[in-house]
Amino acid sequence: MEREQFFEDYVVGEVRHTTGRTITETDIVFHAGHSGDYFPHHVDVEFCKTQPFKRPIAHGTMTFAIGIGLTATEINPRAMSYGYDRLRFPNPVFAGDTIRTAVTVKSKEVDEKRPGFGRVIEAKDVTNQHGKTVMYVEHILIVEMKGDAK
Amino acid sequence: MEREQFFEDYVVGEVRHTTGRTITETDIVFHAGHSGDYFPHHVDVEFCKTQPFKRPIAHGTMTFAIGIGLTATEINPRAMSYGYDRLRFPNPVFAGDTIRTAVTVKSKEVDEKRPGFGRVIEAKDVTNQHGKTVMYVEHILIVEMKGDAK
Amino acid sequence: MEREQFFEDYVVGEVRHTTGRTITETDIVFHAGHSGDYFPHHVDVEFCKTQPFKRPIAHGTMTFAIGIGLTATEINPRAMSYGYDRLRFPNPVFAGDTIRTAVTVKSKEVDEKRPGFGRVIEAKDVTNQHGKTVMYVEHILIVEMKGDAK
Amino acid sequence: MEREQFFEDYVVGEVRHTTGRTITETDIVFHAGHSGDYFPHHVDVEFCKTQPFKRPIAHGTMTFAIGIGLTATEINPRAMSYGYDRLRFPNPVFAGDTIRTAVTVKSKEVDEKRPGFGRVIEAKDVTNQHGKTVMYVEHILIVEMKGDAK
Amino acid sequence: MEREQFFEDYVVGEVRHTTGRTITETDIVFHAGHSGDYFPHHVDVEFCKTQPFKRPIAHGTMTFAIGIGLTATEINPRAMSYGYDRLRFPNPVFAGDTIRTAVTVKSKEVDEKRPGFGRVIEAKDVTNQHGKTVMYVEHILIVEMKGDAK
Amino acid sequence: MEREQFFEDYVVGEVRHTTGRTITETDIVFHAGHSGDYFPHHVDVEFCKTQPFKRPIAHGTMTFAIGIGLTATEINPRAMSYGYDRLRFPNPVFAGDTIRTAVTVKSKEVDEKRPGFGRVIEAKDVTNQHGKTVMYVEHILIVEMKGDAK
């Protein structure tokens, strides 16, 4: 599960793909209870019939939790999560949809403020079974550099 | 629960505060199962003893889900969520911490690409019982304008 | 979320309506585990085929928990819950049904035993998507009086 | 699990006792999510410190669900639940308390409106580890009569 | 719930049957999160379409947990669980299947190593609604002997 | 996650170790609800005080589900699970214990009944933070042979 990668080891353009997971009604009900977000868009089938999508949609916070969770199979002990930018949900997720995440090394740059560390941007693209992007986010990692001496 | 607000009704600088919620060991265990992220930082007490914080920390995706979930008491039928920017987790959340969210109207601007709509940025600041920020994010809303004729 | 109401502020006949929530198979399975009530009427589809309703019915204790839970959007710091009377389940709830709760101030009276407090009865009527009552209960509140001096 | 009892078989004064169950923080967190009731009395430890009990209390709806759930070990195919009266919560339940339920046949009477059936009242008394009553309710059963011919 | 049985009281060939329980999508999703086993055979509907069974199958560990759980209605204070042998899953369990467990006293023998105790083998046979065995296991019990003096 | 291994690739004596997971009160409460096994040994703190271990113990079925679940990071598309033998729980698991699983290729033999397949026994040894075995089981795999022609 552990996979050590220094800043120098990240190759821009490299992609890894996760396994898939079907989002179920159960997940949506769980997430409503877990987050406390019981907005009718997620849990009221009758209300949803009056809305454009006609049926409940997954919470964005859940697509984020599961979309990122799918990538949690490898730990890099040399990297720390700094945060996320540009989190978008261009298409809805419904119960029955199967999502998977592609992780692409989007860019990397030396971190001026942290000697010995670099900044790596991983683009995380979550797609459904039709190949449509349902979530996109850029994950910012602070990664240790191997350095000269090593 | 519904509170209709047009673009014109948003006042930059206005803040609302949610109620608080204590994050428990239960939430962390639940979130590990829900997200599939069983990294030892969250679920392995022995491993955590060897780490800087000495005990399990909440998943960032959970702080996001619950921090945003706390705000889910008001629905504005004139607003749509466009996405989130600058999601950061400056301090860790532990079991036993009580978090609450402050929602500030940070800025607003006319949306050139969408006639009749404006863009509102709500800063969401999640703090713990010591007043420290544990999560910060900027939520981008697309909000209908009242317009001249109305 | 807080809405302060003294005894004098309750108006008999006033009604408020909650948002709706669809009861799912997930909720029934959860509730069986949570309550420990695994009676076949709730969790054995084959048994249920031999019964009048032909399919699993929600636990009454769940309809109570969720029907009351739907009203938990307003806290009155001047009121205490004393108990409930006349809890009835006139129609069954099935997975897929959407319920909502109407809260009516049914009656109020001075509480002889508690000077400075009155007793308010709120009728809570839980209906499904066909408008049929699936639960009825009278909630007894002990509410502080504003009193003369205030 | 099935224990057939006709109206005539119920003996007023007869008591049965359930096994015990410790209410945990997990149950309270779970119930908040299940019911959607995130009132700070149940989930905000900091708020609770300012309240008389100093710590979170279980939801009444949960004490009801679990207190009744504990009795769900015997099914009487001759009885139907009609409803509940006088539901009271005289003492709070905290995480760590162990509750059990005593079921007493309180009274029985012929049901004038339903020939062939009688009405049995079972008092359900839920107590904690100190022997204090934390919940009381009267469960109304409609029970088939054996009748003359049988 | 307690049913005291000494070694001498076990009758080889005696069978008891549990109530049934329908395995739902909820149970499978719950079990994936609980066990951390998110293999696509259980949670990826698209992957499953390419497999012989065409749809997700329940985890064997869940069939074990629930199949054994169904028998947990009687406690024998004179018996201890020693372990299980020959755990097999001859047919898959799908969401919607209703399972029940038959417990047969398969054999018994004096335990040479533990004076005063005997060894009882209970065969646990879990079947679905078509009468097919979906799990079989032999449960080894160490049971106190009544002995001569008693 | 996929790691293809033919029968010939298994090396007797080879061991792999999983990450650890702390078993929590939450897991025990969840498992009671999930399995329906509410025996007081798991959920009644007061009862447990009268027993040898003085506090609740994890269900064996849960130690099995989680102990096996920890190994679910690698899928071998050439292997099928045939069943488990010799499942034992030599020491109890309590809330707060951290478990991990060692998987050892214990033996392998040609499967006379299935030409082209062999039988591999993986011993799964689940230990706690004190290095004590809390579960042991032998997992029987049917694994495809590479064969001469390949």
Side-chain angles (χ1 to χ4, degrees):
Chain A
M1 212 185 206
E2 189 170 293
R3 181 182 169 212
E4 185 173 78
Q5 277 192 292
F6 287 94
F7 178 71
E8 291 86 344
D9 301 327
Y10 281 84
V11 177
V12 173
E14 207 174 65
V15 188
R16 71 183 172 97
H17 296 274
T18 70
T19 55
R21 177 168 160 194
T22 303
I23 302 303
T24 62
E25 184 181 78
T26 298
D27 294 299
I28 296 175
V29 172
F30 266 28
H31 196 80
H34 181 44
S35 67
D37 177 345
Y38 269 106
F39 273 1
H41 313 72
H42 311 301
V43 299
D44 181 342
V45 166
E46 298 300 319
F47 169 83
C48 290
K49 286 177 185 169
T50 70
Q51 298 292 303
F53 294 124
K54 303 299 179 202
R55 58 205 158 116
I57 56 172
H59 302 70
T61 51
M62 182 170 87
T63 303
F64 182 63
I66 296 178
I68 297 299
L70 281 167
T71 72
T73 52
E74 283 188 4
I75 302 173
N76 180 4
R78 300 294 168 186
M80 286 180 309
S81 175
Y82 176 80
Y84 296 85
D85 276 347
R86 264 181 274 275
L87 174 58
R88 302 290 181 270
F89 302 99
N91 285 289
V93 175
F94 302 109
D97 283 355
T98 299
I99 65 174
R100 60 184 59 240
T101 304
V103 182
T104 306
V105 180
K106 188 172 180 283
S107 63
K108 52 188 274 193
E109 54 180 3
V110 171
D111 193 332
E112 300 297 344
K113 287 178 288 185
R114 288 183 186 77
F117 288 87
R119 181 181 284 244
V120 173
I121 307 296
E122 288 190 335
K124 296 188 174 171
D125 194 50
V126 182
T127 51
N128 66 16
Q129 72 277 18
H130 306 300
K132 281 193 181 166
T133 294
V134 295
M135 188 190 104
Y136 174 82
V137 74
E138 295 177 4
H139 191 181
I140 308 159
L141 302 173
I142 305 297
V143 189
E144 199 176 329
M145 299 175 93
K146 228 175 284 186
D148 297 341
K150 292 173 196 176
Chain B
M1 213 183 205
E2 188 170 293
R3 180 181 169 213
E4 184 174 78
Q5 277 192 291
F6 286 94
F7 178 71
E8 290 85 344
D9 300 328
Y10 281 85
V11 177
V12 173
E14 208 174 64
V15 188
R16 71 183 173 96
H17 296 274
T18 70
T19 56
R21 178 167 159 194
T22 302
I23 301 303
T24 62
E25 183 181 77
T26 299
D27 294 299
I28 295 175
V29 171
F30 189 96
H31 196 80
H34 181 45
S35 68
D37 177 345
Y38 269 106
F39 273 1
H41 314 74
H42 310 302
V43 300
D44 181 341
V45 165
E46 299 299 320
F47 168 83
C48 290
K49 286 178 183 167
T50 71
Q51 298 293 302
F53 295 124
K54 303 298 180 202
R55 57 202 156 117
I57 55 171
H59 302 68
T61 51
M62 183 172 86
T63 303
F64 182 64
I66 295 179
I68 297 298
L70 281 167
T71 71
T73 53
E74 284 188 2
I75 303 173
N76 179 5
R78 300 295 168 185
M80 285 180 308
S81 176
Y82 176 79
Y84 296 85
D85 276 347
R86 264 180 274 277
L87 175 56
R88 302 291 181 269
F89 302 98
N91 285 288
V93 175
F94 302 109
D97 283 354
T98 299
I99 64 174
R100 61 183 59 242
T101 305
V103 182
T104 305
V105 179
K106 187 170 180 283
S107 63
K108 51 189 274 191
E109 53 180 6
V110 171
D111 194 331
E112 300 298 342
K113 288 179 287 184
R114 287 183 187 77
F117 289 87
R119 181 181 284 244
V120 173
I121 307 296
E122 287 189 337
K124 297 188 173 173
D125 193 52
V126 181
T127 52
N128 67 14
Q129 71 277 17
H130 307 300
K132 280 193 181 166
T133 294
V134 295
M135 187 190 105
Y136 174 82
V137 74
E138 296 177 4
H139 192 181
I140 308 159
L141 302 173
I142 305 297
V143 189
E144 197 175 331
M145 300 175 93
K146 226 175 285 186
D148 297 340
K150 291 173 194 177
Chain C
M1 212 182 205
E2 190 171 293
R3 181 181 169 212
E4 185 174 78
Q5 277 192 293
F6 287 95
F7 179 71
E8 291 86 343
D9 300 327
Y10 282 84
V11 177
V12 173
E14 208 174 63
V15 188
R16 71 182 172 98
H17 296 273
T18 70
T19 55
R21 177 169 160 194
T22 303
I23 302 303
T24 62
E25 185 181 77
T26 298
D27 294 298
I28 296 175
V29 172
F30 267 27
H31 196 80
H34 180 45
S35 69
D37 176 345
Y38 269 106
F39 273 1
H41 312 73
H42 310 302
V43 299
D44 182 341
V45 165
E46 299 299 319
F47 169 84
C48 289
K49 287 178 184 168
T50 70
Q51 298 292 302
F53 295 124
K54 303 297 180 203
R55 57 202 159 120
I57 55 172
H59 301 72
T61 51
M62 183 171 86
T63 304
F64 182 63
I66 295 178
I68 297 299
L70 281 168
T71 72
T73 52
E74 283 188 3
I75 303 173
N76 179 4
R78 302 294 169 184
M80 286 180 307
S81 175
Y82 177 80
Y84 296 85
D85 276 347
R86 261 180 277 276
L87 175 55
R88 302 291 182 269
F89 302 98
N91 285 289
V93 175
F94 302 108
D97 283 355
T98 299
I99 64 174
R100 58 183 61 242
T101 305
V103 182
T104 306
V105 180
K106 187 171 181 282
S107 63
K108 50 189 276 191
E109 53 179 4
V110 171
D111 193 331
E112 299 297 344
K113 287 179 286 183
R114 288 183 186 78
F117 288 88
R119 181 180 283 244
V120 173
I121 307 297
E122 287 189 335
K124 296 187 173 173
D125 194 50
V126 182
T127 51
N128 66 15
Q129 72 277 19
H130 308 300
K132 279 193 181 168
T133 293
V134 294
M135 188 190 104
Y136 174 83
V137 72
E138 295 177 3
H139 192 181
I140 308 159
L141 302 173
I142 306 297
V143 189
E144 197 176 330
M145 301 175 93
K146 227 175 285 186
D148 295 342
K150 292 174 195 177
Chain D
M1 213 183 206
E2 189 169 295
R3 182 180 169 214
E4 183 173 78
Q5 277 192 292
F6 287 95
F7 178 72
E8 290 85 345
D9 300 326
Y10 281 84
V11 176
V12 174
E14 209 174 63
V15 189
R16 72 182 172 96
H17 296 273
T18 69
T19 55
R21 177 169 161 194
T22 302
I23 301 303
T24 62
E25 185 182 77
T26 298
D27 294 299
I28 296 175
V29 171
F30 188 97
H31 195 79
H34 181 46
S35 68
D37 178 346
Y38 269 106
F39 273 1
H41 313 72
H42 310 302
V43 300
D44 181 342
V45 165
E46 299 299 320
F47 169 83
C48 290
K49 287 178 182 168
T50 70
Q51 297 293 302
F53 294 125
K54 304 296 180 203
R55 57 202 158 119
I57 55 172
H59 301 70
T61 51
M62 182 170 87
T63 304
F64 182 63
I66 295 178
I68 297 299
L70 281 167
T71 72
T73 52
E74 283 188 3
I75 302 174
N76 179 5
R78 300 296 169 183
M80 287 180 307
S81 176
Y82 177 78
Y84 296 86
D85 277 346
R86 264 179 275 275
L87 174 57
R88 303 290 182 269
F89 303 97
N91 286 288
V93 174
F94 302 109
D97 283 355
T98 299
I99 64 173
R100 60 183 59 242
T101 305
V103 181
T104 306
V105 180
K106 187 170 181 280
S107 63
K108 50 190 274 192
E109 54 179 6
V110 172
D111 193 332
E112 300 297 344
K113 287 179 286 183
R114 287 181 186 79
F117 290 87
R119 179 180 286 243
V120 172
I121 308 295
E122 287 189 335
K124 296 189 174 172
D125 193 51
V126 181
T127 51
N128 66 15
Q129 73 275 19
H130 307 300
K132 279 193 181 167
T133 294
V134 295
M135 188 190 104
Y136 175 82
V137 73
E138 295 177 4
H139 192 180
I140 307 159
L141 302 172
I142 306 297
V143 189
E144 197 175 329
M145 301 176 92
K146 225 175 287 186
D148 296 343
K150 292 174 194 178
Chain E
M1 212 183 204
E2 188 169 295
R3 181 181 168 213
E4 184 173 77
Q5 276 193 292
F6 287 95
F7 178 73
E8 291 85 344
D9 300 327
Y10 282 83
V11 177
V12 173
E14 207 175 65
V15 188
R16 72 183 172 96
H17 297 273
T18 70
T19 56
R21 177 168 159 194
T22 303
I23 302 303
T24 62
E25 184 182 75
T26 298
D27 294 299
I28 295 175
V29 171
F30 189 97
H31 195 80
H34 181 46
S35 68
D37 177 345
Y38 269 105
F39 273 0
H41 313 72
H42 310 302
V43 300
D44 181 341
V45 165
E46 299 299 321
F47 169 83
C48 291
K49 286 177 184 168
T50 70
Q51 298 292 302
F53 295 125
K54 304 296 181 202
R55 58 203 156 118
I57 55 172
H59 301 69
T61 51
M62 183 170 88
T63 303
F64 183 63
I66 295 178
I68 297 299
L70 281 168
T71 71
T73 52
E74 284 189 1
I75 303 173
N76 179 7
R78 301 294 169 186
M80 286 179 308
S81 176
Y82 176 80
Y84 296 85
D85 277 347
R86 264 179 275 275
L87 175 56
R88 301 292 182 268
F89 303 98
N91 285 289
V93 174
F94 302 109
D97 282 355
T98 299
I99 65 174
R100 61 184 58 241
T101 305
V103 181
T104 306
V105 180
K106 185 170 181 282
S107 63
K108 51 189 276 192
E109 54 180 4
V110 172
D111 193 332
E112 300 296 346
K113 288 179 286 184
R114 287 182 187 78
F117 289 86
R119 181 181 284 245
V120 173
I121 307 296
E122 287 190 336
K124 296 187 174 173
D125 193 51
V126 181
T127 50
N128 66 15
Q129 71 277 19
H130 306 300
K132 280 192 181 167
T133 293
V134 294
M135 187 190 104
Y136 174 83
V137 72
E138 296 177 4
H139 192 180
I140 308 159
L141 302 173
I142 306 296
V143 189
E144 198 175 329
M145 300 176 93
K146 226 175 287 187
D148 296 341
K150 290 173 195 176
Chain F
M1 211 184 206
E2 190 169 294
R3 181 181 170 212
E4 185 173 76
Q5 277 192 292
F6 286 95
F7 179 72
E8 291 86 343
D9 301 326
Y10 282 84
V11 177
V12 173
E14 206 174 65
V15 188
R16 71 182 172 98
H17 296 273
T18 70
T19 56
R21 177 168 160 193
T22 302
I23 302 303
T24 62
E25 184 181 78
T26 298
D27 294 299
I28 297 175
V29 171
F30 268 27
H31 195 80
H34 181 46
S35 68
D37 177 345
Y38 270 105
F39 272 2
H41 313 73
H42 311 301
V43 299
D44 182 342
V45 165
E46 299 299 319
F47 169 83
C48 291
K49 286 177 183 167
T50 71
Q51 298 293 302
F53 294 124
K54 304 297 180 200
R55 57 205 158 116
I57 55 172
H59 302 71
T61 50
M62 183 170 86
T63 303
F64 182 64
I66 295 178
I68 297 300
L70 282 167
T71 73
T73 52
E74 283 188 4
I75 302 173
N76 179 4
R78 301 294 168 185
M80 284 180 310
S81 175
Y82 176 80
Y84 296 85
D85 275 348
R86 264 180 275 277
L87 174 58
R88 302 290 182 269
F89 303 97
N91 285 289
V93 175
F94 301 109
D97 284 355
T98 299
I99 64 174
R100 61 183 59 241
T101 305
V103 182
T104 306
V105 180
K106 187 170 182 283
S107 63
K108 52 189 272 192
E109 52 179 5
V110 171
D111 194 331
E112 301 296 345
K113 287 178 288 183
R114 288 182 186 78
F117 289 88
R119 180 181 286 244
V120 173
I121 308 295
E122 288 189 335
K124 297 188 174 173
D125 193 50
V126 182
T127 51
N128 65 15
Q129 72 276 21
H130 307 300
K132 281 193 180 166
T133 294
V134 296
M135 189 190 104
Y136 174 83
V137 73
E138 296 176 4
H139 192 180
I140 309 158
L141 301 173
I142 305 297
V143 189
E144 198 175 329
M145 300 176 94
K146 227 175 286 186
D148 297 341
K150 292 175 196 177

